[in-house]
Amino acid sequence: MIIASSGMCNAGPVVEYLELLKDNPQNAIVLTGYQAQGTAGHSLLQAAGKNQGSARLIDMSGYYSAHADQNGLLDFVLNPQNENLKKISPLTVFINHGSDESKLALQDKLRDTQSPSTRKINNTYLAKPQWFDLDTGKFLSDELLQEVELTLEQQVALLSDELRDIKSLLRQVLRKLPRLAP
């Protein structure tokens, strides 16, 4: 499984991955967000199912919202339409975007709107400039982060090394996949 960002598939490693993976029917490409017209992601959606011998395209954009209003977000979190999403409960919600005032208002509304007929929320966190440890359920302290703080150049070097390693592994995996006859 490869998770590659650039929401609309126009930039970053996803461009290379799509080129390598899109023509193999044993692969699946999952799009999780809105795909604006004129983007590579939108082109993928338009071509979905039209080319035999290409990767299966799964459009999950209806399961994730990055641009809803407060009522839309409340409904998305508390009353999802998808049966699989309804089963995920209790939730931990991270509110990342918006002004401090709007994030607090959404947090309060999520607490106030819960009922026995909606999904239960265990925790709601507002974004902080700290790392969150999913294993412990706590934000990491500044002291701990200072121990591992890297310069921008060091971070870029590490990411470049990781990207090189990922590309190498991906090439190895793709070479091992059985070739399908056209």
Side-chain angles (χ1 to χ4, degrees):
M1 178 185 300
I2 299 169
I3 299 174
S5 189
S6 184
M8 297 190 201
C9 306
N10 278 349
V14 70
V15 174
E16 226 175 300
Y17 295 136
L18 287 173
E19 192 58 38
L20 289 169
L21 302 171
K22 70 179 180 172
D23 295 325
N24 186 336
Q26 292 184 320
N27 295 328
I29 298 168
V30 180
L31 297 174
T32 60
Y34 174 74
Q35 305 299 315
Q37 195 165 14
T39 64
H42 188 267
S43 296
L44 279 171
L45 286 174
Q46 296 302 306
K50 294 179 183 172
N51 300 330
Q52 274 192 325
S54 61
R56 179 172 166 228
L57 185 73
I58 302 167
D59 181 11
M60 305 245 340
S61 56
Y63 296 88
Y64 170 78
S65 172
H67 303 285
D69 63 7
Q70 187 181 74
N71 288 335
L73 290 171
L74 289 170
D75 197 42
F76 177 77
V77 171
L78 298 173
N79 302 300
Q81 300 304 306
N82 180 278
E83 292 301 318
N84 290 325
L85 291 178
K86 288 179 183 179
K87 296 174 189 173
I88 302 170
S89 185
L91 302 175
T92 298
V93 177
F94 292 87
I95 302 174
N96 191 47
H97 293 287
S99 66
D100 289 342
E101 182 180 311
S102 66
K103 289 187 285 190
L104 285 168
L106 179 58
Q107 183 180 41
D108 291 343
K109 198 75 166 172
L110 281 166
R111 257 190 238 117
D112 297 343
T113 309
Q114 284 189 82
S115 73
S117 65
T118 64
R119 288 198 294 178
K120 181 178 176 356
I121 298 175
N122 267 353
N123 297 301
T124 304
Y125 297 105
L126 301 182
K128 293 182 179 183
Q130 293 173 294
W131 287 94
F132 187 86
D133 185 335
L134 292 171
D135 293 326
T136 64
K138 296 178 182 175
F139 285 94
L140 298 178
S141 68
D142 288 336
E143 294 81 34
L144 182 60
L145 288 175
Q146 287 174 354
E147 292 175 20
V148 295
E149 196 168 309
L150 302 173
T151 66
L152 181 59
E153 290 80 17
Q154 290 170 319
Q155 292 175 31
V156 169
L158 284 172
L159 289 172
S160 295
D161 291 345
E162 286 180 30
L163 182 57
R164 185 190 67 242
D165 293 344
I166 290 169
K167 286 180 180 179
S168 174
L169 287 171
L170 179 59
R171 284 187 196 98
Q172 290 174 25
V173 167
L174 289 173
R175 279 189 217 111
K176 291 179 182 180
L177 289 175
R179 299 281 178 203
L180 296 177

